[in-house]
Amino acid sequence: MRRRITRLTALVACLAVALFAVPLALVAFAYQLADERAELERAADVAAITAAAQDGAGRPITTLVGTGRDSNAQLALYDANGRRMLGEGPASADRVVRDAATSSVETTDSLLSGSTDDDLVVAIPVTGGSAPMTVRAATSRWEVYRHVAIIGAGMVVLAVLALAIAWIVAVRVTRRLTRPLEELTRAARRLGEGDFTARGPTSDIPEIDAVGVSLAETADRLGQVLARERAFSSDASHQLRTPLAGLRLGLESALECDDVNAHIALRDALAAADRLQVTIEDLLALARDTHQAAEPLDLDRLLTDAEVQWSRPSTDTDRPLIIHRDRDAPQTTASSAAVHQIVSVLLDNARVHGRGRVTLRVRDAPGALAIEVSDEGRGVTTLDADLFQRRSAEASGHGIGLALARSLAEAEGGRLYLSRPTPPTFTLLLPLPNPGRYPEPDAALAGAGTLRAS
C-alpha cells in the first residue's frame, strides 16, 4: 500500500509538471523569438538613423552603429539597386531587403521563412537620406535556440526539484497514513487472537482515529460479553447446587424408603426440576443482560420460592425459616430474576455458614424496598470490601455467591450490604418507581467485619 500511494503521488506530480512545462516551454520560445526580433529592430532603427544623419550631412557612410544587448547582430546597408554598400550580409539584397525597399515599411522574417536557413532577419528602409537605402539586421537562429535552451535547462532543474520535493512529501505522508493503519491491523489481529486489551493508535487523523475508537469499543464489548459468559459457568455452578441437592435428596429418599408414595416423590422431583429450569433461565437472562419490561416484583412468589428453597434441600428441623412481610412494604420494578438469585444466595449463605433460625424480612425503607436475611450465627469479622470480593479461583465455587449477589443488586440500581455484623444481617435495598434517598449503612459497621463467603 505504501509503495502504491508513493508511486501514484509521483505519477500525479509528473503529470502536473508535464502539463505545465510543455505550454510554458512554448511560451518561453515565443517570448525569446519576439525578444530577439525586437532587439534586431532596435539595432536596425539606430543604424538607419545614423546612416541617414551621415548621408544628410554629406559625409560618406563609413560605419553602421547599432545598439542592443545582442553583440552578434550583423548589420548591412544596401542601396536602391540591392547592392551591399557596407556591413556584413549577402552581397545582393535578399527578399526581406527587397520587400522593405519597395514597401517602405520594415519587414521581418521568422526562423522558418527567412531568406537564409540560419538567420533571423529584419530590414528597415533609411529615410531622410539623399538616396534610397535599406538597413538589414540579422542574427543566427542558434542564438535564439541557445537562450531558449538556457531557459529550458532552468525549467528542467525546477521540474526535477519539484518532483524530488513531491517524492519526499509523498513518502512522509504515506508513512504517516500507513503506519497507524499497520498498527490498527496488528491490534485487530491481537483482538482476533483473544486479546481484548488491544487498542488502536492515536494518529491525529480523524478518519483513522475513528476506526481506532470503534475497534476499542468493539474490544470492550467483546471482553464484556466473554467475561459474562465465563462468569456464567461459575455463577451457574454455584446457584444450581441447591436445587440439584434438593432434587437428588428427594430421589434418594424415594429409593431408600419403601413406604414413601412414589407419586409424591415424583411430584417433588418434577417441582425441583421446574425450579432448576427457572434458575437456569434466570442466570442466562442475567448473563446475557436481557431485561424484560419493567413490572412490579411479585413479593408473594418471591417469599414462596424462598420457603420452598429452604425446606427442600434439608430435613434439618432445628433451623426453621421465619418470614416477615410488612403490610406497607412498597412495590419495586427490579428484575424478578435478579432478586430471586440474590435472595437465593443469601439463604444459601445462611444455610451453609449460619446457625439457628434464619429470618427473611421484607419491609419499607426510606425511598426503597428492603429485604433482610439474618441468622443466629457468630458475628462477622471481615472487612466489607473483602466480604463481597469475588474469589473465583476456588474450584468449589466458594467466594462467588455474595459477589454475584452484590453485582446483581448494583445492576438493578440497588444496594446489598452487611447491615449488622452480630447477628449477621444482610440488607438488600431495591429502588422504587419514584425513588428517594437510600438509608446509609451504619458508619460503625463500615470497618467491621467479614462474612462467611458463600
Side-chain angles (χ1 to χ4, degrees):
M1 179 179 178
R2 183 177 298 180
R3 292 182 179 178
R4 288 198 300 269
I5 295 178
T6 304
R7 290 174 181 174
L8 183 61
T9 305
L11 179 62
V12 171
C14 290
L15 219 66
V17 169
L19 289 176
F20 279 99
V22 173
L24 188 61
L26 295 176
V27 170
F29 180 79
Y31 171 80
Q32 190 62 35
L33 180 62
D35 186 63
E36 288 292 334
R37 184 181 292 120
E39 289 295 328
L40 288 178
E41 289 175 358
R42 285 193 289 270
D45 283 336
V46 172
I49 292 172
T50 304
Q54 292 177 2
D55 184 59
R59 297 194 303 273
I61 302 174
T62 57
T63 58
L64 291 175
V65 179
T67 187
R69 61 174 177 80
D70 194 347
S71 60
N72 294 323
Q74 297 177 351
L75 297 175
L77 182 64
Y78 293 85
D79 59 16
N81 296 323
R83 291 191 299 271
R84 187 183 64 189
M85 300 172 55
L86 185 66
E88 299 178 0
S92 57
D94 53 14
R95 181 180 59 80
V96 178
V97 175
R98 290 195 300 270
D99 291 343
T102 56
S103 62
S104 298
V105 296
E106 63 182 41
T107 303
T108 62
D109 189 19
S110 67
L111 294 178
L112 301 179
S113 61
S115 59
T116 64
D117 293 335
D118 296 329
D119 293 341
L120 173 65
V121 180
V122 174
I124 297 177
V126 178
T127 58
S130 58
M133 294 176 290
T134 303
V135 174
R136 178 183 185 274
T139 186
S140 173
R141 70 177 65 190
W142 296 109
E143 286 296 318
V144 179
Y145 293 156
R146 184 175 65 84
H147 291 297
V148 171
I150 293 174
I151 296 176
M155 293 174 58
V156 169
V157 172
L158 291 177
V160 172
L161 182 61
L163 292 177
I165 294 175
W167 180 269
I168 295 174
V169 172
V171 170
R172 292 177 62 88
V173 171
T174 301
R175 288 179 179 175
R176 184 168 180 264
L177 289 175
T178 57
R179 186 173 300 164
L181 291 177
E182 292 171 354
E183 294 181 6
L184 276 176
T185 301
R186 289 192 290 269
R189 187 178 296 112
R190 288 168 52 199
L191 179 60
E193 294 172 352
D195 182 6
F196 299 111
T197 62
R199 294 294 182 270
T202 301
S203 60
D204 296 331
I205 302 175
E207 294 78 5
I208 297 179
D209 290 343
V211 176
V213 170
S214 299
L215 180 65
E217 293 176 351
T218 301
D220 289 338
R221 287 194 295 268
L222 290 176
Q224 293 171 3
V225 170
L226 184 61
R228 285 199 298 267
E229 294 297 332
R230 288 175 176 174
F232 172 74
S233 60
S234 58
D235 295 342
S237 64
H238 180 276
Q239 294 302 99
L240 295 179
R241 284 183 305 166
T242 299
L244 283 174
L247 178 59
R248 183 179 182 87
L249 182 61
L251 294 175
E252 289 178 349
S253 298
L255 290 175
E256 292 177 0
C257 299
D258 296 334
D259 57 344
V260 176
N261 191 324
H263 291 285
I264 297 177
L266 291 176
R267 187 170 55 251
D268 292 343
L270 287 175
D274 292 338
R275 290 193 301 275
L276 186 62
Q277 180 179 356
V278 171
T279 301
I280 293 174
E281 292 174 353
D282 289 345
L283 290 175
L284 283 173
L286 293 171
R288 295 171 181 173
D289 197 21
T290 56
H291 296 283
Q292 299 178 351
E295 296 180 356
L297 176 65
D298 190 346
L299 292 177
D300 292 334
R301 181 181 175 183
L302 174 67
L303 298 179
T304 300
D305 290 345
E307 186 175 6
V308 172
Q309 175 189 347
W310 183 262
S311 62
R312 292 296 179 183
S314 175
T315 58
D316 188 358
T317 59
D318 294 334
R319 300 198 60 196
L321 174 65
I322 301 175
I323 298 177
H324 291 289
R325 177 183 176 182
D326 293 352
R327 293 182 179 180
D328 57 350
Q331 292 290 333
T332 179
T333 56
S335 169
S336 175
V339 176
H340 276 73
Q341 294 303 315
I342 295 171
V343 173
S344 175
V345 167
L346 296 179
L347 291 177
D348 190 46
N349 183 76
R351 180 193 303 279
V352 175
H353 302 289
R355 294 181 181 178
R357 295 181 302 174
V358 176
T359 302
L360 172 61
R361 182 180 180 185
V362 179
R363 62 178 177 83
D364 183 21
L369 172 68
I371 300 177
E372 293 180 343
V373 176
S374 62
D375 61 73
E376 297 176 342
R378 292 178 298 178
V380 178
T381 58
T382 306
L383 294 177
D384 186 84
D386 297 332
L387 184 62
F388 292 94
Q389 184 177 5
R390 189 184 187 95
R391 295 184 294 279
S392 58
E394 299 185 28
S396 63
H398 294 294
I400 295 176
L402 287 177
L404 170 63
R406 170 168 279 189
S407 65
L408 293 177
E410 293 175 349
E412 295 300 322
R415 179 189 303 165
L416 176 64
Y417 62 98
L418 178 67
S419 55
R420 287 193 302 272
T422 305
T425 303
F426 288 92
T427 300
L428 170 64
L429 297 177
L430 296 174
L432 302 182
N434 297 316
R437 179 179 176 82
Y438 286 155
E440 296 294 335
D442 191 349
L445 301 179
T450 84
L451 185 75
R452 296 102 19 164
S454 168

